[in-house]
Amino acid sequence: MTNSEPNQAIIQARDVEKWFGNFAALKGVSADIQEGEVVVVLGPSGSGKSTFIRCINQLEEHEVGTIIVDGIEINDDSRNLQKIRSEVGMVFQQFNLFPHLSVLDNVALAPRKVKKMPKAEAEELAMAGLTRVGIPEQAEKFPTQLSGGQQQRVAIARALAMQPKIMLFDEPTSALDPEMIKEVLDVMRELAESGMTMIVVTHEMGFAKEVADRFLFFAEGLIVEEGTPDHFFNNPQEERTKLFLSQIL
Amino acid sequence: MAETPQPRASLLARIQHGYRESDASAQLFKTKTHTVITIISAITAIWVLVTLTNWMFNAEWQVILDKRRPFLVGKFPADQMWRIWPGVWIFGALLGLSSGLWMRPGKNTAITIAAGIAILSFLLVELDSTAINLALILLLALAGYVVAVRAQDSPSVRSLISRVTVATWVLLIPFMIILLFVGDAPPTSYWGGIFVNVMLAAIAIVVGTPVAVFLSLGRSLDGYPAIRIASTAFIEVVRGAPLIAWLFMGRFVLPFILPSWFGMNEADVIFRTMIVLILFNAAYTAEVIRGGLQAIPKGQYEAADSLGLGYFQTLRAISLPQAFRAVLPSLINQYIGLFKDTTLVYLISVVDVLEVGRKAFNELDYTGTALEVLVFVGFIFWLVTFSMSAISRRVEANMGLGSR
């Protein structure tokens, strides 16, 4: 284990602010996420929910505040950043698979390059990952030869191949045809049951209700309400939360 | 519907099949206008063919036969040819090996190249050492091809052969340079013929392309203004003047600018021309590659970042491979242009293949053979550039460009 102490949150964000020019995408967000917790992030578009999870692995650099991931503080030290990124997997709305590499190479690439794993071992790991997401038979194909749902499952296997402690999902089913959403959610559900720490931005309320330990509701760059699914769906406090839920449910 | 012919069907059968499939008879004589156009085109085509064939058989080809050595290597001494042939043999073998290893299932490239060399050997009918050497290249290419195809059955042999092939490709130019200069070598002022064109172009491509990669990266590098400005300035300045101006600069001005380390300022004209061509090619190629890098979606970099890949790992594994795929046609275009531009070196008194020709038809014995000579030189250039484009098309097909 790294330098994280017991009972300490695996992600600690304090007063995080993110500016795009004059526009404040995050206006001081604080959140603790515990190891093994599944957190679903909700909010209208432009509320900062994607920006927040992209700050956790520094695809966006925050200007103000601190983020500590597994005891490592994000700062200008690029070695820290590298370490954090290899512990935090991410799945994107648009899959972002590497189109010039086979499915197997997509998954085996990071273990080989970042962890310097020998080729055979990395490919074995990649095959195990593809089996876990249910598409080992597609290993030799190229990403564009697969359906959207299959591509997203490859993307999940690719992120898992780095054996991360935390998985970030940025609207993983939003670009999918309706009949493919289930196969991706099934994989995510299995992952949640295995005890993975997950932060999920999604509009799939049924799935969210079922797997989430906790909800964070974003509006205009702030967390305006948080709580358990029960609290959230049966007893929301804030007007904006009620309005959002009435629109989405 | 006509029956699809077997893949091994004769050429004639395949043409007949294509004719029926394309419904050409219906198209060619669809209306009166169609019929008139078809007949006029047919007459024109026949007239062109007859005229050309007639000229071919009545032309004075003696000059080509007499000057075949200068066309190939200029004034390079006959007893020094051992410095050139080994490199060319290896080149032939590598072509065969590579097409057998990586160019499945098409065999057109190997056949095109083999046919080209065969035609060339035929033009040099007299069985002397030159003809034998050309035939040897052909044989080596075929042998390489057969070996590579046989090796497909065994993965371990195949991986061994492909490793050796890649390593030999990398070492080919250094090897040729060493052979050309080691010991009591003839001065580069003896270099000439198509040999000079190919050498200059090959070195400009092989050395210039990595330089171009650095320039294109430098030009798009955020956060390092000094590097970005330097790369941009270099590219814009080099592109700002015609190649001839740079060649003259290399010929007449460079000796005064270069420092005297290792006698660099006394380096000969071929060496200076190489430097000019490398830098010139690098500037143009850099812009081609930059275009490819810009075409890569931002999500690719985000995915690479999120996996923990570093800047250089992302370059090597993600962005450069995709950029080169995207710009392969433009890249080959640039290389073909560069190869033909090497004929400009006659202006700085390097006797390239075109200049050999010009000198030949100006000789009293060969008065009136300008057309024959120019057609022959043109044919050589076509052979090389067509092979380049055939290879690039096969590489594109192999990478599945456009289909995935």
Side-chain angles (χ1 to χ4, degrees):
Chain A
M1 287 266 67
T2 42
N3 38 355
S4 66
E5 291 162 26
N7 300 327
Q8 197 177 1
I10 194 162
I11 297 172
Q12 304 166 48
R14 289 286 169 278
D15 307 315
V16 175
E17 289 181 28
K18 168 70 195 173
W19 294 78
F20 293 107
N22 287 326
F23 173 72
L26 298 176
K27 298 174 186 167
V29 171
S30 299
D32 277 350
I33 286 148
Q34 305 298 328
E35 198 160 354
E37 207 178 7
V38 177
V39 175
V40 167
V41 181
L42 294 174
S45 69
S47 60
K49 53 193 193 305
S50 277
T51 309
F52 173 64
I53 70 168
R54 287 160 62 87
C55 279
I56 293 170
N57 67 351
Q58 288 289 288
L59 290 184
E60 307 287 357
E61 268 176 67
H62 58 292
E63 277 87 20
V64 183
T66 54
I67 300 175
I68 298 173
V69 178
D70 196 27
I72 310 163
E73 184 175 347
I74 292 170
N75 50 27
D76 290 337
D77 191 335
S78 63
R79 276 168 305 177
N80 278 0
L81 181 59
Q82 205 82 1
K83 220 184 282 173
I84 288 169
R85 280 178 173 165
S86 60
E87 288 188 13
V88 180
M90 183 152 188
V91 176
F92 301 85
Q93 183 178 349
Q94 298 296 341
F95 328 138
N96 295 344
L97 293 177
F98 305 127
H100 62 298
L101 299 177
S102 72
V103 164
L104 188 71
D105 289 340
N106 260 281
V107 182
L109 179 76
R112 284 185 66 190
K113 298 278 173 182
V114 181
K115 291 190 168 170
K116 314 288 177 205
M117 200 180 272
K119 189 178 177 205
E121 197 182 324
E123 285 183 350
E124 206 171 298
L125 178 75
M127 271 318 284
L130 289 172
T131 309
R132 183 173 181 184
V133 299
I135 38 174
E137 74 282 359
Q138 311 286 359
E140 298 308 319
K141 289 197 182 162
F142 283 84
T144 51
Q145 296 169 319
L146 305 187
S147 72
Q150 290 172 328
Q151 288 191 49
Q152 193 61 298
R153 281 144 75 194
V154 174
I156 295 173
R158 180 177 69 175
L160 288 175
M162 284 297 287
Q163 289 155 331
K165 292 185 175 167
I166 302 159
M167 285 285 283
L168 308 174
F169 292 85
D170 190 359
E171 304 202 22
T173 56
S174 298
L176 293 176
D177 291 335
E179 74 271 22
M180 292 167 182
I181 291 177
K182 186 177 171 290
E183 63 189 57
V184 173
L185 293 182
D186 285 345
V187 171
M188 290 170 64
R189 190 174 293 120
E190 185 269 322
L191 199 56
E193 281 160 9
S194 76
M196 173 68 75
T197 310
M198 288 163 67
I199 307 182
V200 186
V201 175
T202 186
H203 299 299
E204 293 296 326
M205 299 312 288
F207 167 80
K209 219 184 234 177
E210 184 189 335
V211 300
D213 296 314
R214 187 151 61 101
F215 280 84
L216 300 179
F217 180 71
F218 273 70
E220 288 164 35
L222 287 168
I223 298 177
V224 293
E225 188 158 2
E226 59 172 294
T228 60
D230 179 48
H231 162 88
F232 218 75
F233 287 102
N234 301 324
N235 192 19
Q237 301 297 312
E238 293 282 326
E239 279 310 311
R240 278 179 294 191
T241 318
K242 290 176 193 166
L243 179 68
F244 178 78
L245 288 173
S246 73
Q247 284 164 342
I248 206 165
L249 288 177
Chain B
M1 181 68 41
E3 214 174 296
T4 307
Q6 296 303 305
R8 291 190 182 282
S10 74
L11 188 62
L12 190 66
R14 270 191 281 176
I15 290 172
Q16 282 174 341
H17 173 75
Y19 182 79
R20 282 195 299 265
E21 282 293 280
S22 68
D23 216 12
S25 54
Q27 293 288 327
L28 287 171
F29 306 104
K30 197 173 176 184
T31 65
K32 275 184 188 157
T33 325
H34 280 81
T35 313
V36 171
I37 293 174
T38 303
I39 290 173
I40 292 175
S41 311
I43 292 171
T44 316
I46 291 168
W47 178 77
V48 168
L49 259 173
V50 168
T51 314
L52 277 183
T53 321
N54 201 21
W55 177 79
M56 282 267 296
F57 282 101
N58 290 305
E60 289 292 327
W61 294 111
Q62 194 57 42
V63 57
I64 310 294
L65 278 180
D66 292 352
K67 296 287 180 187
R68 59 189 184 279
R69 266 187 56 77
F71 272 125
L72 282 175
V73 293
K75 286 188 293 179
F76 208 83
D79 60 350
Q80 296 289 322
M81 285 303 285
W82 58 269
R83 294 177 186 276
I84 294 179
W85 285 121
V88 190
W89 296 333
I90 295 172
F91 177 75
L94 285 175
L95 269 188
L97 278 169
S98 305
S99 52
L101 278 171
W102 298 301
M103 301 282 176
R104 292 161 298 145
K107 296 172 184 168
N108 300 351
T109 314
I111 291 171
T112 311
I113 294 163
I117 296 172
I119 295 169
L120 207 60
S121 327
F122 181 71
L123 283 173
L124 308 165
V125 271
E126 266 176 66
L127 195 71
D128 61 355
S129 67
T130 311
I132 292 172
N133 273 302
L134 285 170
L136 194 57
I137 299 167
L138 189 63
L139 263 172
L140 280 166
L142 284 175
Y145 183 77
V146 170
V147 167
V149 169
R150 281 280 166 82
Q152 300 292 5
D153 302 336
S154 152
S156 61
V157 177
R158 184 180 188 276
S159 96
L160 177 72
I161 291 181
S162 59
R163 260 179 231 181
V164 171
T165 307
V166 169
T168 320
W169 272 122
V170 172
L171 293 174
L172 180 61
I173 294 233
F175 168 74
M176 288 195 80
I177 300 270
I178 289 169
L179 261 194
L180 282 165
F181 286 103
V182 76
D184 197 12
T188 54
S189 54
Y190 281 80
W191 291 18
I194 190 70
F195 163 67
V196 142
N197 299 84
V198 170
M199 266 322 255
L200 287 177
I203 287 173
I205 290 168
V206 170
V207 184
T209 305
V211 177
V213 169
F214 284 109
L215 283 172
S216 65
L217 291 174
R219 193 168 184 173
S220 46
L221 204 59
D222 289 332
Y224 295 87
I227 296 174
R228 199 179 63 238
I229 291 168
S231 309
T232 309
F234 176 85
I235 292 170
E236 295 302 342
V237 168
V238 171
R239 287 200 304 176
L243 178 57
I244 300 176
W246 292 117
L247 287 172
F248 276 124
M249 200 87 93
R251 175 90 163 93
F252 299 111
V253 184
L254 212 55
F256 299 103
I257 309 176
L258 282 176
S260 55
W261 316 321
F262 315 112
M264 260 164 78
N265 54 338
E266 288 165 8
D268 63 73
V269 60
I270 292 266
F271 178 74
R272 297 199 302 262
T273 308
M274 277 175 188
I275 292 180
V276 169
L277 283 171
I278 288 170
L279 297 181
F280 190 81
N281 181 44
Y284 277 84
T285 309
E287 286 297 277
V288 173
I289 296 172
R290 193 167 67 95
L293 286 170
Q294 278 174 340
I296 297 171
K298 197 167 153 249
Q300 292 289 305
Y301 294 107
E302 292 185 346
D305 281 349
S306 76
L307 288 168
L309 293 168
Y311 176 78
F312 290 103
Q313 289 173 329
T314 304
L315 262 185
R316 261 205 56 198
I318 311 296
S319 42
L320 283 179
Q322 290 190 54
F324 271 102
R325 260 152 230 260
V327 300
L328 191 71
S330 330
L331 208 58
I332 296 298
N333 209 23
Q334 160 66 21
Y335 292 162
I336 285 176
L338 175 86
F339 174 60
K340 290 184 295 184
D341 280 350
T342 57
T343 49
L344 287 173
V345 295
Y346 85 92
L347 284 165
I348 50 170
S349 59
V350 175
V351 188
D352 79 315
V353 65
L354 186 56
E355 187 63 1
V356 168
R358 212 176 339 234
K359 286 205 160 112
F361 67 69
N362 281 331
E363 280 179 30
L364 260 179
D365 295 350
Y366 302 117
T367 312
T369 60
L371 197 53
E372 285 85 345
V373 167
L374 292 176
V375 164
F376 176 70
V377 172
F379 175 71
I380 292 182
F381 273 96
W382 176 81
L383 202 61
V384 176
T385 54
F386 183 72
S387 311
M388 281 162 85
S389 86
I391 290 171
S392 87
R393 257 178 288 133
R394 277 245 62 83
V395 172
E396 278 173 44
N398 253 37
M399 287 200 243
L401 283 179
S403 64
R404 69 167 185 253

Short mmCIF file of all heavy atoms in Angstrom, two decimals, chain B residues 228-257:
data_model
loop_
_atom_site.label_atom_id
_atom_site.label_comp_id
_atom_site.label_asym_id
_atom_site.label_seq_id
_atom_site.Cartn_x
_atom_site.Cartn_y
_atom_site.Cartn_z
N ARG B 228 9.48 26.71 -30.61
CA ARG B 228 8.43 26.89 -31.60
C ARG B 228 8.82 27.94 -32.64
O ARG B 228 8.66 27.73 -33.84
CB ARG B 228 7.12 27.29 -30.91
CG ARG B 228 5.89 27.05 -31.78
CD ARG B 228 4.59 27.42 -31.09
NE ARG B 228 4.53 28.84 -30.80
CZ ARG B 228 4.37 29.33 -29.58
NH1 ARG B 228 4.26 28.52 -28.55
NH2 ARG B 228 4.32 30.63 -29.38
N ILE B 229 9.37 29.04 -32.15
CA ILE B 229 9.74 30.11 -33.08
C ILE B 229 10.87 29.65 -34.00
O ILE B 229 10.86 29.87 -35.21
CB ILE B 229 10.13 31.39 -32.31
CG1 ILE B 229 8.89 31.97 -31.64
CG2 ILE B 229 10.75 32.42 -33.25
CD1 ILE B 229 9.17 33.06 -30.63
N ALA B 230 11.86 28.95 -33.42
CA ALA B 230 13.00 28.49 -34.23
C ALA B 230 12.52 27.53 -35.32
O ALA B 230 12.90 27.65 -36.50
CB ALA B 230 14.04 27.81 -33.34
N SER B 231 11.65 26.57 -34.96
CA SER B 231 11.16 25.60 -35.95
C SER B 231 10.36 26.31 -37.04
O SER B 231 10.54 26.05 -38.24
CB SER B 231 10.25 24.56 -35.30
OG SER B 231 10.88 24.00 -34.18
N THR B 232 9.47 27.20 -36.62
CA THR B 232 8.65 27.91 -37.59
C THR B 232 9.51 28.73 -38.53
O THR B 232 9.34 28.70 -39.76
CB THR B 232 7.64 28.84 -36.86
OG1 THR B 232 6.97 28.08 -35.88
CG2 THR B 232 6.65 29.43 -37.83
N ALA B 233 10.48 29.46 -37.96
CA ALA B 233 11.36 30.29 -38.78
C ALA B 233 12.11 29.44 -39.79
O ALA B 233 12.15 29.77 -40.99
CB ALA B 233 12.34 31.05 -37.88
N PHE B 234 12.66 28.31 -39.34
CA PHE B 234 13.41 27.45 -40.26
C PHE B 234 12.53 27.00 -41.42
O PHE B 234 12.89 27.12 -42.59
CB PHE B 234 13.96 26.23 -39.51
CG PHE B 234 14.67 25.27 -40.42
CD1 PHE B 234 15.99 25.46 -40.75
CD2 PHE B 234 13.98 24.19 -40.97
CE1 PHE B 234 16.63 24.59 -41.62
CE2 PHE B 234 14.61 23.32 -41.83
CZ PHE B 234 15.94 23.52 -42.15
N ILE B 235 11.34 26.50 -41.08
CA ILE B 235 10.44 25.97 -42.13
C ILE B 235 10.08 27.08 -43.11
O ILE B 235 10.17 26.91 -44.34
CB ILE B 235 9.17 25.38 -41.50
CG1 ILE B 235 9.51 24.11 -40.71
CG2 ILE B 235 8.13 25.07 -42.57
CD1 ILE B 235 8.39 23.58 -39.85
N GLU B 236 9.70 28.25 -42.59
CA GLU B 236 9.24 29.31 -43.48
C GLU B 236 10.37 29.85 -44.34
O GLU B 236 10.17 30.17 -45.51
CB GLU B 236 8.58 30.45 -42.66
CG GLU B 236 7.31 30.02 -41.93
CD GLU B 236 6.23 29.48 -42.87
OE1 GLU B 236 6.31 29.74 -44.09
OE2 GLU B 236 5.32 28.79 -42.39
N VAL B 237 11.57 29.96 -43.77
CA VAL B 237 12.69 30.47 -44.56
C VAL B 237 13.07 29.49 -45.67
O VAL B 237 13.22 29.86 -46.83
CB VAL B 237 13.92 30.76 -43.65
CG1 VAL B 237 15.16 31.00 -44.49
CG2 VAL B 237 13.64 31.96 -42.77
N VAL B 238 13.15 28.20 -45.32
CA VAL B 238 13.56 27.21 -46.33
C VAL B 238 12.52 27.12 -47.44
O VAL B 238 12.84 27.04 -48.62
CB VAL B 238 13.79 25.83 -45.68
CG1 VAL B 238 13.99 24.76 -46.73
CG2 VAL B 238 14.99 25.90 -44.76
N ARG B 239 11.22 27.18 -47.04
CA ARG B 239 10.18 27.10 -48.06
C ARG B 239 10.08 28.39 -48.88
O ARG B 239 9.48 28.40 -49.95
CB ARG B 239 8.81 26.84 -47.40
CG ARG B 239 8.67 25.45 -46.90
CD ARG B 239 7.22 25.10 -46.71
NE ARG B 239 6.53 26.05 -45.82
CZ ARG B 239 5.24 26.00 -45.57
NH1 ARG B 239 4.50 25.09 -46.14
NH2 ARG B 239 4.68 26.86 -44.75
N GLY B 240 10.70 29.45 -48.34
CA GLY B 240 10.55 30.75 -48.98
C GLY B 240 11.40 30.93 -50.21
O GLY B 240 11.18 31.87 -50.98
N ALA B 241 12.39 30.06 -50.43
CA ALA B 241 13.25 30.24 -51.60
C ALA B 241 13.22 28.97 -52.44
O ALA B 241 13.01 27.88 -51.92
CB ALA B 241 14.68 30.53 -51.15
N PRO B 242 13.40 29.11 -53.76
CA PRO B 242 13.38 27.91 -54.61
C PRO B 242 14.58 27.00 -54.35
O PRO B 242 15.64 27.48 -53.88
CB PRO B 242 13.42 28.48 -56.03
CG PRO B 242 13.87 29.88 -55.91
CD PRO B 242 13.58 30.35 -54.53
N LEU B 243 14.43 25.73 -54.66
CA LEU B 243 15.50 24.76 -54.42
C LEU B 243 16.79 25.17 -55.11
O LEU B 243 17.88 25.02 -54.55
CB LEU B 243 15.05 23.37 -54.88
CG LEU B 243 16.08 22.24 -54.75
CD1 LEU B 243 16.56 22.11 -53.33
CD2 LEU B 243 15.50 20.92 -55.23
N ILE B 244 16.67 25.71 -56.33
CA ILE B 244 17.88 26.10 -57.08
C ILE B 244 18.69 27.11 -56.28
O ILE B 244 19.91 27.02 -56.19
CB ILE B 244 17.49 26.71 -58.44
CG1 ILE B 244 16.72 25.68 -59.26
CG2 ILE B 244 18.73 27.14 -59.20
CD1 ILE B 244 16.22 26.21 -60.57
N ALA B 245 17.97 28.06 -55.66
CA ALA B 245 18.69 29.08 -54.86
C ALA B 245 19.47 28.41 -53.74
O ALA B 245 20.64 28.74 -53.50
CB ALA B 245 17.68 30.07 -54.29
N TRP B 246 18.83 27.43 -53.08
CA TRP B 246 19.51 26.75 -51.97
C TRP B 246 20.68 25.91 -52.48
O TRP B 246 21.71 25.82 -51.82
CB TRP B 246 18.54 25.86 -51.18
CG TRP B 246 17.53 26.66 -50.42
CD1 TRP B 246 16.18 26.66 -50.60
CD2 TRP B 246 17.80 27.62 -49.40
NE1 TRP B 246 15.58 27.54 -49.75
CE2 TRP B 246 16.54 28.15 -49.00
CE3 TRP B 246 18.96 28.09 -48.78
CZ2 TRP B 246 16.43 29.12 -48.00
CZ3 TRP B 246 18.83 29.05 -47.79
CH2 TRP B 246 17.60 29.55 -47.41
N LEU B 247 20.52 25.29 -53.66
CA LEU B 247 21.63 24.50 -54.20
C LEU B 247 22.83 25.40 -54.51
O LEU B 247 23.97 25.06 -54.19
CB LEU B 247 21.18 23.76 -55.47
CG LEU B 247 20.24 22.58 -55.23
CD1 LEU B 247 19.71 22.03 -56.54
CD2 LEU B 247 20.95 21.47 -54.46
N PHE B 248 22.56 26.57 -55.10
CA PHE B 248 23.66 27.51 -55.36
C PHE B 248 24.29 27.96 -54.06
O PHE B 248 25.51 28.07 -53.93
CB PHE B 248 23.15 28.72 -56.13
CG PHE B 248 23.09 28.49 -57.62
CD1 PHE B 248 21.92 28.66 -58.32
CD2 PHE B 248 24.23 28.08 -58.31
CE1 PHE B 248 21.85 28.42 -59.69
CE2 PHE B 248 24.18 27.84 -59.68
CZ PHE B 248 22.99 28.01 -60.37
N MET B 249 23.42 28.20 -53.06
CA MET B 249 23.91 28.59 -51.74
C MET B 249 24.85 27.51 -51.21
O MET B 249 25.93 27.83 -50.71
CB MET B 249 22.72 28.76 -50.81
CG MET B 249 22.97 29.60 -49.60
SD MET B 249 22.68 31.31 -49.97
CE MET B 249 20.97 31.45 -49.46
N GLY B 250 24.46 26.27 -51.32
CA GLY B 250 25.28 25.17 -50.85
C GLY B 250 26.59 25.09 -51.63
O GLY B 250 27.64 24.77 -51.07
N ARG B 251 26.49 25.34 -52.91
CA ARG B 251 27.68 25.22 -53.77
C ARG B 251 28.68 26.33 -53.51
O ARG B 251 29.86 26.08 -53.37
CB ARG B 251 27.20 25.26 -55.23
CG ARG B 251 28.32 25.27 -56.26
CD ARG B 251 28.65 23.84 -56.64
NE ARG B 251 29.42 23.79 -57.88
CZ ARG B 251 30.75 23.78 -57.93
NH1 ARG B 251 31.44 23.88 -56.82
NH2 ARG B 251 31.36 23.67 -59.09
N PHE B 252 28.19 27.59 -53.45
CA PHE B 252 29.11 28.72 -53.48
C PHE B 252 29.24 29.46 -52.16
O PHE B 252 30.26 30.08 -51.89
CB PHE B 252 28.69 29.71 -54.57
CG PHE B 252 28.70 29.10 -55.94
CD1 PHE B 252 27.52 28.88 -56.63
CD2 PHE B 252 29.90 28.71 -56.53
CE1 PHE B 252 27.53 28.29 -57.88
CE2 PHE B 252 29.92 28.12 -57.78
CZ PHE B 252 28.73 27.91 -58.46
N VAL B 253 28.19 29.42 -51.31
CA VAL B 253 28.24 30.25 -50.11
C VAL B 253 28.60 29.43 -48.87
O VAL B 253 29.36 29.86 -48.02
CB VAL B 253 26.88 30.96 -49.89
CG1 VAL B 253 26.95 31.89 -48.69
CG2 VAL B 253 26.48 31.72 -51.13
N LEU B 254 28.06 28.19 -48.80
CA LEU B 254 28.25 27.35 -47.62
C LEU B 254 29.72 27.22 -47.20
O LEU B 254 30.03 27.29 -46.01
CB LEU B 254 27.62 25.97 -47.86
CG LEU B 254 27.05 25.25 -46.63
CD1 LEU B 254 26.05 26.13 -45.91
CD2 LEU B 254 26.40 23.94 -47.04
N PRO B 255 30.66 27.03 -48.14
CA PRO B 255 32.06 26.85 -47.75
C PRO B 255 32.58 28.00 -46.90
O PRO B 255 33.45 27.82 -46.04
CB PRO B 255 32.81 26.79 -49.07
CG PRO B 255 31.80 26.38 -50.07
CD PRO B 255 30.49 26.92 -49.60
N PHE B 256 32.03 29.22 -47.11
CA PHE B 256 32.53 30.36 -46.35
C PHE B 256 31.88 30.44 -44.98
O PHE B 256 32.41 31.05 -44.07
CB PHE B 256 32.28 31.67 -47.12
CG PHE B 256 33.00 31.69 -48.44
CD1 PHE B 256 32.32 31.48 -49.62
CD2 PHE B 256 34.38 31.89 -48.47
CE1 PHE B 256 32.99 31.49 -50.82
CE2 PHE B 256 35.05 31.89 -49.69
CZ PHE B 256 34.36 31.68 -50.87
N ILE B 257 30.70 29.85 -44.83
CA ILE B 257 29.98 29.95 -43.56
C ILE B 257 30.37 28.83 -42.61
O ILE B 257 30.52 29.03 -41.42
CB ILE B 257 28.45 29.89 -43.78
CG1 ILE B 257 28.04 30.88 -44.86
CG2 ILE B 257 27.70 30.15 -42.50
CD1 ILE B 257 26.56 30.82 -45.19
#
